Amino acid sequence: MEPTKKILSVIIPAYNSHAFIKNALETLDYKYSDLFDVIIIDDLSPIPLEPEIRDYLAQHNNISIHRHEQNLNWGGAVETGFKLANSLYVKILDSDDQFDTETFVKYILVLKNYAEKDIDIFITNTSCYLGDEFWFSKKIGKKNNIIKITNFDEYHISTLPTMHSFTFRKDFVINCFPLLYNTPYTDNILIFRAIEASNNIAIMPSDFYLYKYIWGVHEQSMSLPVLIKNLEKLQTVILEMCNQKIKQENRKRNVILVKLLKEIIYLYHAVIFLNNGQPVLKKLRIKNAFNNKLKKHYKKNYIVKKLYHRKWFFFLRNFNVYQLDILHKIAFYASAKGFLGLIKKCEKIRKNDEKIVLNTDK
């Protein structure tokens, strides 16, 4: 007999997550376990993850763990979780992040009420923390009620959504796979494809701060040393986004796709120039070689063509290492919300193990 379909599956891709995965599991409200399940994908951690969460597996029959036979990185783990899910909706929770428990209860009840409405994507707000301390929020939902739209260009947003804001209808999102295996940052490809394909989006109310993104975790993919190490893979992700074929009817409306591509290119250029282990001329060669690759997509891809028509891209193409002060300002005012300053603070915490008082506009 086929098991009853849940409203939501929470997919947790995990690798060497022994130190913090329990923190993620504790933020779920298991009083509503009849509505959701949790699928943990252990991406072949050197030490299996199952013994670490054995107590949770014994206490809650809606939690399961599956171990890969080979390491496929984030994209492969998420794809495995989505295929295993027997639910209407799927939501990704990285193993080093958390949910806001109070918001989770409201959120799961909204999903239940909208179960028959065939929403492709639900969008919730995100809170970002530096350790235990609040850093900033990514606020997309601004109204007190749920707003239904057919595409993001109908709804003005000042902050770009990240993977942490998305909940997908499973039957819809499964068509956005496969992602790149053994490559980090493929969440950008997934949301890029999902936004382009979706025609039915619901933005949840302004107080739905569901996802708590925790900065400063050791070897986090967005820490500067890891970004420098994975610079070539980040380039691969950007070029894969450039290879996306945009539907004819979406060409004029999906400005958000241009903005998402712009933001990840900002990040790529920033990492190049923050890599102190390379001489200036090598940095410039890397930058110029990358921009030449982008140029090949100019006539073929509508999104890249839109990039070339914007002044900022002309600036980045001609950017040199002596303009680092300007780069810091650009990166700060991009929707990354001070990415450069933030990763430096994370590094400082890691090295000095000291508490930093953050004076920022919340």
Side-chain angles (χ1 to χ4, degrees):
M1 182 176 178
E2 186 177 347
T4 304
K5 180 176 283 191
K6 302 280 188 178
I7 295 296
L8 175 71
S9 288
V10 178
I11 310 299
I12 305 182
Y15 180 80
N16 277 355
S17 306
H18 305 72
F20 33 75
I21 191 168
K22 286 184 178 180
N23 295 334
L25 293 173
E26 285 174 3
T27 61
L28 301 169
D29 193 328
Y30 295 98
K31 293 195 299 290
Y32 296 87
S33 59
D34 59 320
L35 299 179
F36 76 95
D37 62 1
V38 181
I39 301 173
I40 303 168
I41 307 299
D42 182 356
D43 195 27
L44 199 62
S45 301
I47 301 175
L49 191 59
E50 182 174 355
E52 187 69 29
I53 60 168
R54 194 164 287 157
D55 291 345
Y56 278 90
L57 295 172
Q59 293 172 19
H60 306 290
N61 59 11
N62 65 329
I63 300 178
S64 61
I65 186 167
H66 307 267
R67 182 171 167 85
H68 273 168
E69 295 182 356
Q70 65 182 95
N71 180 269
L72 297 176
N73 217 292
W74 188 92
V78 167
E79 182 174 350
T80 299
F82 280 16
K83 288 179 177 178
L84 289 171
N86 181 35
S87 60
L88 185 60
Y89 291 101
V90 285
K91 172 74 177 172
I92 300 167
L93 174 62
D94 286 340
S95 58
D96 53 352
D97 294 329
Q98 301 169 20
F99 284 156
D100 180 83
T101 306
E102 184 178 340
T103 304
F104 179 76
V105 173
K106 297 188 292 183
Y107 158 80
I108 192 74
L109 293 176
V110 167
L111 293 184
K112 180 182 178 182
N113 292 335
Y114 274 73
E116 304 298 326
K117 299 187 183 297
D118 288 333
I119 302 294
D120 296 330
I121 296 171
F122 281 95
I123 297 292
T124 51
N125 294 333
T126 301
S127 299
C128 299
Y129 286 76
L130 186 54
D132 294 330
E133 189 164 3
F134 177 81
W135 171 244
F136 66 89
S137 61
K138 293 180 77 71
K139 187 173 185 178
I140 300 168
K142 302 173 184 177
K143 306 293 184 180
N144 293 326
N145 57 318
I146 295 175
I147 306 296
K148 292 180 66 176
I149 57 177
T150 58
N151 66 83
F152 279 98
D153 293 342
E154 295 178 3
Y155 183 85
H156 175 71
I157 55 175
S158 56
T159 301
L160 289 177
T162 61
M163 173 56 65
H164 314 110
S165 298
F166 284 74
T167 300
F168 303 104
R169 182 165 54 84
K170 182 196 169 179
D171 292 345
F172 159 77
V173 76
I174 208 70
N175 297 317
C176 297
F177 289 93
L179 301 178
L180 299 175
Y181 294 159
N182 300 312
T183 304
Y185 315 115
T186 50
D187 56 315
N188 295 281
I189 299 174
L190 179 55
I191 64 172
F192 198 84
R193 291 175 181 173
I195 289 173
E196 197 276 328
S198 175
N199 290 306
N200 202 354
I201 303 167
I203 300 178
M204 290 200 176
S206 58
D207 61 339
F208 274 57
Y209 283 93
L210 173 65
Y211 202 101
K212 297 172 71 173
Y213 181 51
I214 313 297
W215 287 83
V217 177
H218 181 58
E219 294 187 352
Q220 194 173 37
S221 62
M222 292 300 287
S223 66
L224 184 56
V226 176
L227 279 163
I228 291 173
K229 177 183 175 182
N230 291 322
L231 193 61
E232 288 188 10
K233 292 183 177 180
L234 181 60
Q235 180 183 135
T236 301
V237 168
I238 295 172
L239 295 177
E240 177 64 24
M241 293 167 72
C242 293
N243 284 330
Q244 287 298 120
K245 293 181 179 179
I246 306 303
K247 293 178 184 176
Q248 185 70 32
E249 62 269 24
N250 289 355
R251 288 190 169 191
K252 291 186 178 179
R253 73 178 195 179
N254 269 330
V255 175
I256 191 171
L257 298 181
V258 178
K259 292 181 178 179
L260 287 168
L261 192 53
K262 178 182 72 171
E263 179 170 292
I264 194 170
I265 292 174
Y266 271 142
L267 174 61
Y268 182 86
H269 281 82
V271 174
I272 290 174
F273 288 101
L274 284 170
N275 185 1
N276 295 325
Q278 288 184 339
V280 171
L281 289 178
K282 185 170 183 179
K283 293 179 182 181
L284 293 174
R285 283 197 297 271
I286 293 172
K287 175 190 71 73
N288 292 333
F290 170 68
N291 286 327
N292 287 335
K293 289 181 180 179
L294 279 183
K295 199 176 289 186
K296 293 180 180 178
H297 295 273
Y298 176 73
K299 293 183 179 179
K300 296 189 296 182
N301 188 290
Y302 172 79
I303 294 297
V304 182
K305 188 173 182 179
K306 296 288 281 187
L307 287 174
Y308 269 85
H309 282 293
R310 307 209 185 273
K311 292 181 180 178
W312 70 266
F313 195 79
F314 176 81
F315 171 79
L316 285 176
R317 281 191 296 151
N318 295 279
F319 190 82
N320 63 66
V321 76
Y322 304 107
Q323 295 169 307
L324 277 175
D325 288 342
I326 300 175
L327 177 64
H328 278 70
K329 292 178 182 177
I330 289 176
F332 184 81
Y333 288 110
S335 61
K337 273 279 194 179
F339 164 76
L340 299 180
L342 186 56
I343 57 177
K344 286 185 175 181
K345 290 180 186 297
C346 290
E347 293 303 312
K348 189 173 181 181
I349 285 180
R350 190 170 297 120
K351 290 178 181 178
N352 301 327
D353 194 27
E354 64 181 5
K355 185 176 179 64
I356 295 177
V357 178
L358 303 173
N359 296 315
T360 184
D361 182 9
K362 298 181 182 179

